[in-house]
Amino acid sequence: MDIVKDILAILIFPAGLAVMAGGLAYEWIDRKLVAQLQNRIGPRWFQPAADIVKLLAKEEVLPEGVDSRLFYGLPVVALAGVLTAALYVPLFGLAPAHSFSGDLIVAIYLLSMLTLCSGLAGANTNDRFSLIGATRTLTQLFSYEAPFLLTLLGPAIVAGSWQISEINAYAGGHWLLFTQPVGFVVALIGLMGKLELPPFDAPEAETEIVAGAMTEYSGRGWALFRLGKNVELIIGLTLIAAFYLGGLSDPLGFLLKTLALLLAVAGLQALFARLRIDQTVGLWWRAGALLVLAQLLATIVLKGMTA
Amino acid sequence: MRLGAMFGDMFRSLFKRPVTELYPFRKEPAPSRLRGALTYNPAKCTGCQLCVKDCPSNAIELITIDKANKRFVMRYYMDRCTFCAQCVQNCRFGCLGMSNEQWEMAALNKEAFTVHYGREEDLQKLLSTNPHE
Amino acid sequence: MENETREKFIIPIGPQHPALKEPGHFEFSVDGETVTGATVRLGYVHRGIEKAAEERNWVQDLYLLERICGICSHAHALAYSLGVEKLAGVTAPPRAQAIRQLVAELERVHSHLLWLGVSAHEAGFDTLFMFSWRDRETIMDVLEGLTGNRVNYSVNVLGGVKADIDDARADAIRRGIDFLEERTQHYLKIATSDETFLRRTRGVGYTSREQAEELGLVGPTARAANVARDVRVDVPYAAYTDFPVQMTLDTRGDLEARFVVRIRELFESYRVVRQILDRLPAGELTARMPRRIKEGETVSRIEAPRGELFYFIKSNGSDKPERIKVRTPSICNFAVVTGTAKGHQLADMPMILAGMDPCFSCNDR
Ligand code: SF4
Ligand code: SF4
C-alpha cells in the first residue's frame, strides 16, 4: 500500500503542486519560444494555468457509449503515473524523493502510462477521430518507445547502475553528450515523440483528426491529461539533462540545462512539417533504433575492453 | 533536398521583436484613404437623393427640413453601411466623405449606430418634432 | 464475416472541423490509414445572392456581388463590371482598366500568399504558415492604402474605378512588391527543398494532364498539370492586352507542382504590377454609365486567383438585372479531391484539399 500512500502524498503534498506548476511554466516557455521563433508574440505567462483553471471549472461531457469508469479513471491514472515518476528523478536539481536500484525502469514505464492511458481513452470512445487517434498514438508509442528506452540504457550501462540518482552522480563527472551524441539526439527527439509535439503530432493532428484520441475529452479529464503532458515534459527534460548534460545537482544548473534543452525542443518543433504516421514509424525504426543500437553495442564493447 | 529550410528565418526572429501588433494598447494610424464612418457636409447638399438611391444597403436617409432653403438632415445607419463609398462617388457636390479616423465603431447598444448629420438648428428641430428619434 | 469487418469506416471532415474552417463536408472512407473513397457535399451556407441581385439596381449589385467572396472580391466586382459595361456598350477608360488589372494582380498576390500559409498549416508546418502570413501583411497594407480597405476593395464602379494612383502611391506599391519578391524567392526555395515538406507534397494528389482535362479543372490546379488554361492569356480583358502576362505551367501535376505554379505566378504578378506602374496610361478614371442597361445578355469571364470566374448577365432594359449567374472556379476544382483521394493516406487528404485552394464562400452564393 506504499504506492497508494505516495500517490496521495503527491496529490496533497505541496511538492506535487510544485511539479505541476513547473510543468505549466515549462509549457508556457515552450509556447513562448515557438512563438518567438515564428516572429509572433505568444501567450502571456499565466495562459497555461488559466487554461487548466478554466477547464477544471467546465462541465465534463460524458459521451454516449463509453465505459464511464474508464473515461473518468484514465486521466487520473495518467496524471498519477507521471507524478509518481516525478518521485524518482532529480527534479529542480534536488535529490529524488525516492530512490532504489532499478528505479530507472520504473520511471520509464510510469512515463509510458500517460501515452497508454490516452490511447486507451481514445479507444474507449466511439468517436471516429478518437479511434484513429488512438491507433496512431499506440502505433507511435511502439515506434519511439524502444529507441527512447535504449538511449536511457546507454548512460545506465556506462554508469553500471539502474538507479537514476547513481547515473546522475556518474554523469556529473562525464558529459555523456560528447561520448554518446547519437543517444542524446535520439533521446531528445524521442521525448518529442512521447509528448506528441510537432513534427510527431500525427496522433493529434488537428487538421486531420481534430484532437486525436482526446477529441471527446472536455473539462476536468482534458485538464488532467494536459497537466500530465506538462509534467511529463519537465520530467523528460530532467532525465535527459541528468543523463547527458553532466548531471543535475543544484537548481541553477537544472534551470540552465533544461531550458537549453527546451530551446532545442522548441526549435525542432518549429522547424519541420508534420510527419505522416507511416513516415514517423519508418523514421524511428529505420534511423532511430538502428543508430542507437549501434551506439549501444559500441558502448558495451568499449566498456568490456576497458573493464 | 535539405532539412530545416526555415532555420535561417527562425534564427533571425529569435533576436527580433515580434511583429504582432498590440492593437488595443497601441494604435497605428489608419491610411489616409481608409473608408471609415460616413461624413456629411450639409452646406453643399442640394437634396438630389442620388446618394440614397444607389446605397446597396439602404444605410442613408435624407430628411427634408426645409426644401426651399435646402435644409436637410442625413440619417446614417452605421450598422447597415458596408463602407463601399458608392454614395461618396455619387454625390456631385462633394458633401460626402469617409473618415479615416472613426473606424472603431463597436457599441453595446443599437442606438449608437443611428447617427444624424446636419446643421445644429436642423438637428434640434428634427429631434423636437420627433422626440422618439 | 469478411464484409462485416471490412465495413466502411468513414472519416467525416466538415462542415465543422479544424482542418477546414469552412462549411464543406467531405466523407473519406478509410481502410486503416488508407483512403478508399471520397465524397463531397457543399451548399451549407447558400446565401441566395444571385436571386437577391435581381431585386437591386445595377450599381447596388456591384457591391452585393463583390461580397460573394472575401479573398477574391475584386475578381467578382471586375467580372461583373466588365459584363455590365459590355451590355451597355461602354468601355472604361484605359487608366481605369490598368488600375483594375493592377488591383487584380495585387489581389492574386494576397490570395496566393494566403493559400501558401493555409496549406503549410495543413501540412503541420506552422512556421511557414506564420512567416508567409506575416509577409502577406505587406500586400494587405498596400491594398488598404490604395483602395481604403483590406478585404472589399470596392475599387470598381460601373464604368471605371474610384482609386487613382499618384507617384507616392506608386512608390509605396513598388516598395511592397520589392520586399515580397525577395521573400517569394525564399518561399519557392523552401517549397522545393525542405525535406519534411516535400515528403508531404511530392507525388501526392497526382493528376495527369488527361485527367485534369477530363475533370475540367481550372486555374493553377489545372496549370500544375500542364493544362494551358488561363483567361488572362486566352481572352485578355481589362488591360491584359497592353500588359500581357505569361502563363505559368508545370508538367508534374502533383501537390509540389501546385505549390510551384502558384509561387511562380507571383513573380509574373510582380512583373506586371511594376510594368503597369511604369506605364500607367493618363486620362479619366470613369466613363458615364446609363442607369438603365440595354436589353440583352452577355458572358463575362476573368481569371480569378483560383481559376476562371464566369458571369452570365441578362438585362431586360430596366435598371435591374433580370438574371445573373455566377460560376466560380472552386466548384470545378473539387473534382480533384474526389478524383485523386483513393489510395492516399488519410493524412494527405487535408493537403490535397488545400492544394486546390478551395473557396467555400464562392461555392455557396
Ligand atoms: S458607404 Fe455604401 S453602404 Fe455606406 S452609406 Fe454609402 S453607399 Fe451606403
Ligand atoms: S448626393 Fe450629395 S447633394 Fe445629393 S442628396 Fe446626397 S449628399 Fe446631398
Side-chain angles (χ1 to χ4, degrees):
Chain A
M1 281 283 100
D2 249 12
I3 217 100
V4 177
K5 244 186 3 243
D6 282 341
I7 293 173
L8 279 179
I10 255 176
L11 284 173
I12 298 158
F13 193 60
L17 289 180
V19 176
M20 290 191 235
L24 290 177
Y26 271 60
E27 183 201 332
W28 174 71
I29 297 172
D30 177 52
R31 282 167 68 177
K32 194 83 182 165
L33 279 175
V34 172
Q36 181 68 37
L37 289 172
Q38 294 174 344
N39 212 346
R40 297 186 281 125
I41 188 163
R44 283 171 294 174
W45 64 270
F46 54 83
Q47 193 61 51
D51 285 348
I52 297 289
V53 170
K54 184 196 76 177
L55 284 174
L56 286 176
K58 278 198 161 181
E59 181 197 1
E60 190 172 13
V61 182
L62 181 73
E64 247 172 56
V66 302
D67 184 329
S68 64
R69 278 163 305 169
L70 269 181
F71 188 81
Y72 290 127
L74 284 171
V76 179
V77 175
L79 181 59
V82 284
L83 282 178
T84 316
L87 286 176
Y88 305 115
V89 295
L91 268 183
F92 307 117
L94 309 170
H98 271 242
S99 196
F100 54 85
S101 120
D103 57 2
L104 176 60
I105 304 293
V106 177
I108 287 174
Y109 279 96
L110 283 172
L111 284 183
S112 300
M113 288 267 284
L114 177 75
T115 321
L116 269 176
C117 283
S118 67
L120 272 180
N124 183 28
T125 56
N126 281 331
D127 182 78
R128 301 160 210 227
F129 302 122
S130 295
L131 287 179
I132 296 249
T135 327
R136 287 190 184 176
T137 302
L138 296 177
T139 315
Q140 184 150 313
L141 173 76
F142 286 120
S143 54
Y144 67 72
E145 197 62 21
F148 185 68
L149 187 71
L150 292 179
T151 59
L152 296 185
L153 287 193
I157 287 172
V158 286
S161 160
W162 294 98
Q163 193 166 351
I164 295 177
S165 52
E166 273 176 27
I167 305 172
N168 186 20
Y170 171 84
H174 307 72
W175 276 63
L176 292 182
L177 163 64
F178 301 113
T179 47
Q180 304 191 2
V182 179
F184 171 71
V185 171
V186 175
L188 201 58
I189 297 176
L191 182 66
M192 295 177 68
K194 232 174 158 48
L195 294 166
E196 295 176 0
L197 294 173
F200 302 110
D201 57 344
E204 48 179 72
E206 89 247 27
T207 52
E208 297 151 32
I209 49 172
V210 192
M214 297 285 100
T215 308
E216 290 290 344
Y217 271 88
S218 54
R220 197 177 53 109
W222 174 223
L224 293 186
F225 269 123
R226 280 189 55 160
L227 262 182
K229 273 236 162 102
N230 293 339
V231 175
E232 183 161 322
L233 170 69
I234 197 168
I235 295 178
L237 291 177
T238 311
L239 268 183
I240 297 176
F243 284 15
Y244 283 98
L245 296 187
L248 295 173
S249 50
D250 57 308
L252 187 66
F254 168 83
L255 264 185
L256 284 179
K257 285 170 187 169
T258 47
L259 288 183
L261 280 180
L262 194 58
L263 178 64
V265 168
L268 290 174
Q269 268 178 64
L271 197 52
F272 300 118
R274 182 187 302 126
L275 294 171
R276 281 195 316 242
I277 189 72
D278 54 320
Q279 292 167 345
T280 309
V281 175
L283 177 76
W284 280 114
W285 283 112
R286 247 175 264 135
L290 284 186
L291 281 175
V292 186
L293 217 55
Q295 169 165 321
L296 206 62
L297 281 179
T299 316
I300 293 172
V301 169
L302 274 180
K303 192 168 162 76
M305 289 197 317
T306 48
Chain B
M1 295 270 244
R2 65 209 165 109
L3 268 178
M6 294 211 71
F7 185 77
D9 288 295
M10 283 168 42
F11 189 74
R12 259 168 276 136
S13 67
L14 206 52
F15 307 100
K16 259 197 273 186
R17 285 248 315 281
V19 291
T20 316
E21 279 180 24
L22 302 167
Y23 161 62
F25 307 112
R26 201 175 318 131
K27 286 174 192 167
E28 306 287 328
S32 58
R33 280 188 186 171
L34 183 90
R35 300 196 303 271
L38 193 66
T39 56
Y40 170 72
N41 174 4
K44 292 188 262 172
C45 180
T46 59
C48 65
Q49 302 267 2
L50 275 179
C51 51
V52 178
K53 206 186 280 172
D54 275 344
C55 173
S57 43
N58 301 330
I60 38 182
E61 273 171 38
L62 202 71
I63 303 161
T64 316
I65 303 286
D66 180 352
K67 183 139 196 179
N69 291 324
K70 298 209 175 350
R71 307 299 281 273
F72 306 96
V73 169
M74 178 166 276
R75 184 179 294 156
Y76 174 46
Y77 299 101
M78 224 178 233
D79 51 344
R80 291 193 210 157
C81 178
T82 58
F83 309 101
C84 65
Q86 180 65 37
C87 48
V88 182
Q89 184 80 16
N90 271 15
C91 181
R92 273 180 241 150
F93 306 95
C95 316
L96 296 171
M98 304 206 90
S99 155
N100 76 327
E101 274 155 18
Q102 201 195 346
W103 47 269
E104 290 172 298
M105 285 173 279
L108 290 174
N109 56 346
K110 231 174 129 79
E111 284 75 58
F113 290 119
T114 309
V115 193
H116 290 91
Y117 294 125
R119 293 191 182 86
E120 247 339 284
E121 61 268 27
D122 295 344
L123 288 178
Q124 292 288 326
K125 202 164 158 195
L126 180 73
L127 293 180
S128 60
T129 47
N130 278 337
H132 296 298
E133 298 282 347
Chain C
M1 186 65 204
E2 179 71 51
N3 272 338
E4 248 169 63
T5 49
R6 298 225 142 243
E7 199 188 315
K8 266 203 217 160
F9 194 77
I10 290 175
I11 296 290
I13 291 195
Q16 280 135 23
H17 187 285
L20 208 69
K21 292 102 196 153
E22 306 220 44
H25 177 70
F26 295 83
E27 281 186 355
F28 299 111
S29 48
V30 293
D31 182 4
E33 286 276 334
T34 316
V35 174
T36 54
T39 57
V40 53
R41 204 187 131 191
L42 300 166
Y44 284 89
V45 285
H46 182 71
R47 289 168 287 170
I49 288 185
E50 285 173 13
K51 188 70 192 164
E54 294 166 18
E55 308 290 313
R56 287 165 172 75
N57 71 34
W58 291 102
V59 180
Q60 291 173 322
D61 279 343
L62 176 63
Y63 301 103
L64 179 67
L65 295 167
E66 183 168 37
R67 278 157 181 79
I68 285 182
C69 175
I71 301 173
C72 37
S73 63
H74 179 70
H76 284 271
L78 180 57
Y80 173 74
S81 325
L82 288 171
V84 176
E85 283 158 19
K86 195 154 56 165
L87 269 182
V90 175
T91 353
R95 187 173 179 91
Q97 298 283 31
I99 292 178
R100 282 174 170 178
Q101 180 180 349
L102 179 95
V103 176
E105 291 304 323
L106 290 177
E107 182 182 68
R108 193 179 314 280
V109 173
H110 117 72
S111 174
H112 281 2
L113 282 176
L114 174 121
W115 167 84
L116 177 66
V118 171
S119 20
H121 174 63
E122 300 292 345
F125 199 4
D126 279 358
T127 306
L128 180 54
F129 168 40
M130 293 297 162
F131 275 96
S132 57
W133 278 34
R134 179 196 74 182
D135 297 335
R136 173 173 165 267
E137 278 307 302
T138 316
I139 199 80
M140 299 302 278
D141 287 346
V142 164
L143 279 165
E144 190 184 22
L146 172 64
T147 67
N149 201 323
R150 282 163 61 94
V151 179
N152 291 306
Y153 314 118
S154 175
V155 75
N156 288 292
V157 286
L158 293 183
V161 293
K162 287 181 193 134
D164 202 2
I165 295 176
D166 55 12
D167 283 344
R169 182 80 54 204
D171 279 341
I173 299 176
R174 282 199 194 95
R175 271 199 306 277
I177 294 291
D178 288 345
F179 168 73
L180 279 175
E181 180 151 41
E182 199 192 307
R183 292 299 299 172
T184 311
Q185 287 286 4
H186 183 55
Y187 293 134
L188 181 63
K189 225 159 75 201
I190 291 170
T192 51
S193 74
D194 188 86
E195 166 97 32
T196 50
F197 196 54
L198 277 181
R199 277 170 174 239
R200 302 298 304 274
T201 58
R202 190 164 278 178
V204 174
Y206 171 77
T207 41
S208 66
R209 190 185 159 156
E210 290 71 37
Q211 217 179 346
E213 297 265 17
E214 212 169 274
L215 295 173
L217 305 184
V218 294
T221 318
R223 293 198 280 279
N226 209 15
V227 180
R229 191 176 282 167
D230 187 334
V231 186
R232 293 176 294 169
V233 178
D234 302 340
V235 249
Y237 51 91
Y240 282 99
T241 27
D242 302 334
F243 304 103
V245 291
Q246 292 266 308
M247 205 182 309
T248 314
L249 288 173
D250 200 298
T251 50
R252 285 167 294 176
D254 59 357
L255 267 179
E256 191 195 352
R258 284 171 214 160
F259 274 91
V260 171
V261 163
R262 284 203 178 84
I263 298 178
R264 297 236 320 269
E265 268 182 16
L266 291 179
F267 295 119
E268 196 54 26
S269 293
Y270 299 146
R271 186 186 63 72
V272 159
V273 165
R274 283 205 193 96
Q275 204 180 31
I276 294 177
L277 289 176
D278 291 343
R279 309 204 327 247
L280 196 62
E284 287 289 301
L285 282 185
T286 48
R288 269 198 69 73
M289 278 294 282
R291 282 202 73 79
R292 294 171 187 284
I293 306 290
K294 277 182 288 192
E295 204 178 315
E297 51 183 54
T298 189
V299 156
S300 164
R301 297 196 295 156
I302 69 154
E303 183 79 12
R306 286 162 184 73
E308 178 189 319
L309 174 66
F310 173 102
Y311 265 69
F312 168 79
I313 304 166
K314 187 174 179 192
S315 169
N316 54 11
S318 72
D319 63 347
K320 290 176 183 157
E322 181 167 304
R323 175 86 173 101
I324 292 180
K325 164 75 192 149
V326 185
R327 201 215 50 194
T328 53
S330 295
I331 194 77
C332 312
N333 283 342
F334 274 116
V336 85
V337 180
T338 46
T340 60
K342 216 169 156 180
H344 280 97
Q345 298 280 309
L346 178 63
D348 291 329
M349 287 304 111
M351 288 294 287
I352 293 181
L353 186 53
M356 56 154 274
D357 201 357
C359 174
F360 292 83
S361 52
C362 281
N363 277 306
D364 299 348
R365 294 175 301 280

